[in-house]
Amino acid sequence: QRYVRCDDKPLRFVNNRLPDTNTTLAYDVAIVIDGNYSATTEDNCTINPPYDGYFTYNPAPDYNITSSATRPSGVAVVNCTFKVDGKKIDKKFVITIDP
């Protein structure tokens, strides 16, 4: 039998990194959090310009970043914040876009 929220397990990101992409592939990746908690009270991932507009962050329940647009090569910085049951986590991811 499993008890939900019986321990003080820390809230954490399961993703260590986000996969790289290139200018011809569709991009779809889920941001995964763990910690035996209820639904998030706040989630937000922002993608730093100039790639904002090429990538889209989809909040709960999906928590994923998608794109099907052709993008210039470079690096996109993704800043994510999640708040759950009074705990908050922040993480910066980098997506390398190869030509």
Side-chain angles (χ1 to χ4, degrees):
Q1 184 175 14
R2 182 174 178 184
Y3 294 94
V4 177
R5 296 178 55 194
C6 291
D7 60 346
D8 195 24
K9 190 174 178 182
L11 182 64
R12 68 181 184 94
F13 285 96
V14 174
N15 308 68
N16 289 323
R17 60 184 296 276
L18 298 183
D20 298 336
T21 187
N22 67 38
T23 58
T24 61
L25 294 177
Y27 192 82
D28 188 9
V29 63
I31 305 295
V32 182
I33 59 170
D34 185 29
N36 205 19
Y37 290 90
S38 60
T40 60
T41 55
E42 180 183 324
D43 64 272
N44 185 40
C45 293
T46 57
I47 298 109
N48 286 350
Y51 298 101
D52 196 13
Y54 291 102
F55 293 104
T56 301
Y57 172 67
N58 304 292
D62 299 322
Y63 310 126
N64 71 332
I65 295 171
T66 61
S67 177
S68 58
T70 299
R71 298 168 298 283
S73 61
V75 173
V77 178
V78 182
N79 294 297
C80 292
T81 299
F82 285 79
K83 291 182 182 176
V84 181
D85 293 343
K87 297 191 179 197
K88 177 182 173 184
I89 54 171
D90 298 284
K91 186 159 186 161
K92 181 182 291 186
F93 295 101
V94 173
I95 302 171
T96 301
I97 303 151
D98 294 320

